Amino acid sequence: MAAGMSTVVGSLVWVEDPDVAWVDGEILEVNGEEIKVLCTSGKTVVVKASSVYPKDAEVPPCGVDDMTKLAYLHEPGVLENLRSRYDINEIYTYTGNILIAVNPFRRLPHLYDSHMMTQYKGADFGELSPHPFAVADAAYRLMINDGISQSILVSGESGAGKTESTKLLMRYLAYMGGRAVVEGRTVEQQVLESNPVLEAFGNAKTVRNNNSSRFGKFVEIQFDQRGIISGAAIRTYLLERSRVCQVSDPERNYHCFYMLCCAPPEEVLKYKLGNPRTFHYLNQSNCYELEGVDDSKEYIETRRAMDIVGISLEEQDAIFRVVAAILHLGNIEFVKGKEMDSSMPKDEKSWFHLQTAAELFMCDVKALEDSLCKRVILTRDETITKWLDPESAELSRDALAKIVYSRLFDWLVNKINSSIGQDPESKFLIGVLDIYGFESFKTNSFEQFCINLTNEKLQQHFNQHVFKMEQEEYTKEEIDWSYIDFVDNKDILDLIEKKPGGIIALLDEACMFPKSTHETFAQKLYQTFKDHPRFTKPKLSRSDFTICHYAGDVTYQTEMFLDKNKDYVVAEHQALLNASKCSFVSGLFPILAEESSKTSKFSSIGSRFKQQLQSLLETLSGTEPHYIRCVKPNNLLKPAIFEHKNVLQQLKCGGVMEAIRISCAGYPTRKPFEEFVDRFGLLAPEVFDGSSDEVTACKRLLEKVGLVGYQIGKTKAFLRAGQMAELDARRSEVLGRSASIIQRKVRSYLARRGFVVLRLSAVYIQAACRGQLARQIYDKMRQEASCLMIQRDFRMYLSRKAYKALYSSAVSIQTGMRGMTARSELRFRRQTRAAVIIQSQCRRYLALLYFMKIKKAAITTQCAWRGKIARRELRKLKMAARETGALQAAKNKLEKQVEDLTWRLHLEKRMRADIEEAKTQENEKLQSALQEMQLQFRETKSLVEKERETAKREVEKVPVIQEVLVVDHAMMEKLTSENEKLTTLVSSLEKKIDDTEKKYEEANRISEERLKQALDAESTIVKLKTTMQRLEEKFSDIESEKQILHQALQGSSVKKMSEHLSTPVPQKLENGQHLIEEQKAIFVTRGKKFDTESDSKLRRSYIEHQHENVDSLINCVMKNIGFSHGKPVAAFTIYKCLLHWRSFEAERTGVFDRLIQMIGSAIENQDNDDHMAYWLSNTSALLFLLQQSLKSASSTGGTPVRKPSAPTSLFGRMTMGFRSSTSTNLAMPAFEIVRQVEAKYPALLFKQQLTAYVEKIYGIIRDNLKKELASLLSLCIQAPRTSKGVLRAGRSFSKDSATSHWQSIIDSLNTLLCTLKENFVPPVLVQKIYTQSFSFINVQLFNSLLLRRECCTFSNGEYVKAGLAELELWCCQAKEEYAGSSWDELKHIRQSVGFLVIHQKYRISYDEITNDLCPILSVQQLYRICTLYWDDNYNTRSVSPDVISSMRVLMTEDSNNAVSNSFLLDDDSSIPFSVDDLSTSQQEKDFSDVKPADELLENLAFQFLHE
């Protein structure tokens, strides 16, 4: 790539650097093949031209989301793009369809919540920002559309985030697949819950990661035909078995061993364990503990995870017994035995561990010892037992430990799969492969050899896929690619696994010879592959070898190759553990047919590894692959650190550089025609003359510049490697010449501007000097004129001053003289007046004093005499008044009392007679007699009580005698005589009063007895009346039936009865109540004339007639019968019919079900907004009428119910009738339109169902509008692209106008608004529809702005802002009645777009952004917009780095505190109104002028609608 580059002074290039891999700089000098470069780090270096790479100066500062869009696809360009995106927390980047994920080592919850999954659902690959959800969605869509199983390969070194990426993929697949639930938990949860178990037994600490997976995991998510998850399975591959016995420092063995050693004391004692340092399999390394990890807690968590996945306590105990037994096996040491070449346990410690292992395995100790120290060889004639030497016995021990651990791990995987639940009948699957990446350390042993073999095989699969993708791209663009060669790594794979003659084959061969050592094995490799280009021998080593892998050279040390590769399947081990008394252990080693012979078959880990690898590749070959390459940015595992060399090495190990190499073998640079013309149109501006499209212009441009080997596709221009650099060099030359011309013109302009300024300055100076001289001469002339004026005025002033002094003196003297004379006269007049006043006052006082003395003496004398006379008369009057006045008043009162008592006795006698007569009539007619008796009783009682109170007041009242001045003595004597007569009369009256009181007490006693009898009779009447009411309620249901049916009867008896029932509408009383009681009486009395048979016929006829009425109503309202005075006719007609039929008060009725079915069938056509709006208007109006009319039976207060319970007494009924006649007449106007009724359960249920239908219809109209807007919003978020070169030629290739899409949205809003207005939908519902629709517009536009980088541009902000102005204009035209607060719902997109179109963003502080510009946006949203922003018009910068740093700090704090940090908005699909909102928005009087349906008015059965 670098070889074809044209080096020009001033060009930007990339230069190799030993510290950061690559550093950018500017070319200062070019000396043949050597160039001098000034680096941005400040250093100046001289390098060869062939070793530098060109740098794209126009790449956005935040990088590109797909690296195939880079102008230069090479190592430094890829590395710089990843770094720039990593700095702004954009951790995902595409390379074609390969996703590169850089581990941020921090929580970024906003990238993985449900909002983000919703955005990626169904989106085209590459449309939104790179994300694992996009890869999972693409795999799922391909599986559904093409019917092909998919696989997603997640690779990377330890700590790169493979496991987390796998979890994200499974979350999204569970989200798309419906989250199939198994035993109350989803499949995703089941798989994730198995991770702690698999990590405990399959993960270990390595050099680079504390929790490295030492096995490959292939998670199969199984789907049925509909794409719903039906099951899952976990397939494990390539477990690193040798780690059980050999561990390198500073690594650790598998976690489960250390967990068990740190288990609770009782567990440790049960398994006879101790410190990990005391076990041979663990103390080969000095690392026993992990920083920040508590093995004791991890042990408890692992046991809990085992419970979750369905492993019983017995099985858990057996699992950890096997793990403990493996540890004890490792501590068994061997020495030479008594026999030749024999072995035996070394000491008591070894014997202890041997016995403990046998106890844990539940097998015989002797049999375990023999299986480790002996071998049985079967020959044709006999069986030979052979002793093993101590070294062979240790190998046998290690083989047993490895095979037991391997079988245990396989059992755990099978158990987890059975717990998750597999679907053998699944149609498709999506597999997620999580496997260790390429490894290269200072010391590389057999494990690294196997791991790198795996990555070589996967890289071959990856290369084939990449080349296939390249072919598909070329085929789609219809260009010739037949001559492009594809370089594969098949030679490396043949070197390792070819049979015979490969490294693995030679290793197996060496393992089968007892005398072979690692040195002999190494020599064999040297001899066999001395001429192989991929195999080399290090100069200073006798046993190492180096293989040139795709990711670089790796040197392997062969010291442990033979030991780690040996994996004997010993028959004695099989028989021993199969005979275990523990069913779990024996189940791990079932007897197979091929293993029944007592022979030890050789098996190598390398061969088994190769077989499993082949099986994995066969599985992957049957699926469509997708790739995620995980990268660890630094070895410190800390955020915000990007180690260039480390990342570059991982990119090589992950095959990304290999994919770039394959791409560079063809056409690495692919530019869309518009971008190509924009960038290189200045090389030949004449190519735009007369051209009609960009393709022609692009072809003429390439021909003009003279490039060879390029290809023109359907949408892109394809350039060979180096051609982009050549074009950029020519472009730099043109720009350089243009810069020289611009500089020349600028210098000329500056010089001319200086000359003009000097000339103007000279003119200004001359004019200033001449002006100064003229001003001086003028000042002198003014001074002379001023002197003359001053002299004249001064002389005048002196003369006037002297005259004024003389004049003022004369006036002062005259004024003084006249004033003195006037004051003297005034003083004399005042003295005279004062003397006169004093004399008059003195005389008046003396006369008044004398008069007052005389008057006081006369009054005193008169008062004394009159008082004496008055006191004398008063004494006389008091004596006379006491004797005559009191007697006269008492006489009058007693006479009145006598008359009252006499009248009361006569009234009591009449009452007794009436009560006796009422009692005799009670037996004949119970109800009428009871009413009369109660009335008489209450009247009597009230009168008696009233008279009793009156009598008491009169008796207790003390007469008050006023003092009167009496002077008539004759009257006094007359009163005295009358007093004597009254005294005699009072005595006689007192006797009569006593007799009357006795008679009254006797009558009162008799009345109380009769009252008691009346109360008993009344209770009996209440019981009878209750029974009668129940019978009347039964007859009330068919009351109206009888009224109509009697009209149809023929005969004299029926004609007589029809006179009372011919009126279709019941008569009303004056108080508005129906004559229900009278009709009931008519029905009970006259119904006796009909026999049972005729009644049943009439009842059936009435039911049929009622059904016909309901059918007529439904058939009528099913049609669009329009509106009356702005209100729906259908709703009002239904309400009137239900009210008349008394359906609201019925315990059981089918009318409501019929109406609900009718509404449900009417709204089946959900696409017709006009039809839906008509029914929304009707249902909402009917719901309003029901809300105002219905009253539940349990409610209290409010208006009286229509049918009050009848009082039992006559007096009570009279009182109730009086009250109702007055109150109902007053309340009558409120019931003209809507009348409250006591609703039964069916009516209340109908109201609830109607409410649900109103909400459903509302949601349908709103969602229809959202669907219509969604297709338009995707076009409105991004401004139409226009080529710069084309604009220079005065042409435009864009066919879409700038506002056509926004105008389509306005048209949609107007169309729906007209529809809603025509159907008189309540304004409150219209407001809610548009408010939620504008909120939807806000969510879609804002989320697209945050997810698509091409939308965060200056020009796009202007485009969206113009569209928002159209929406604002629409809101103003629609008015608040219908638009409501819709414009406020766009606050997020308004503020974000307002920020995009601001110039000089780098001058704005963070406080200004958050407080003034974008107060509604969160830190995450602002950070996203600021980092994605780029100016495609003026190339202006985004906000300053300080603002970005402040936002990043706040985001880090918020990520630790907030529950959810999603920067995306969520669309609200709830119902934003209630029934009360509808009630408050309408009034009953609005329905006062509504006319029912004309069709029903012609029907005789609906004549009640005329009212």
Side-chain angles (χ1 to χ4, degrees), residues 58 674-688 697 701 704-705 727-739 1283-1286 1288:
E58 296 186 2
E674 56 183 16
E675 293 183 11
F676 188 84
V677 170
D678 285 345
R679 183 162 183 163
F680 299 110
L682 54 87
L683 297 180
E686 63 274 7
V687 300
F688 300 108
L701 176 62
K704 188 74 175 178
V705 298
L727 288 175
D728 272 340
R730 296 188 183 184
R731 182 171 177 267
S732 299
E733 293 177 0
V734 173
L735 291 175
R737 291 195 299 268
S738 301
S1283 175
K1284 297 178 183 177
V1286 174
R1288 285 194 296 269

Side-chain angles (χ1 to χ4, degrees), residues 503-519:
I503 294 178
I504 293 179
L506 296 177
L507 180 61
D508 291 345
E509 182 181 345
C511 290
M512 290 192 296
F513 289 99
K515 301 298 183 179
S516 296
T517 62
H518 68 281
E519 294 180 348

Side-chain angles (χ1 to χ4, degrees), residues 1451-1463:
M1451 285 176 59
T1452 304
E1453 295 175 356
D1454 292 345
S1455 64
N1456 297 327
N1457 301 329
V1459 178
S1460 175
N1461 290 315
S1462 175
F1463 55 74

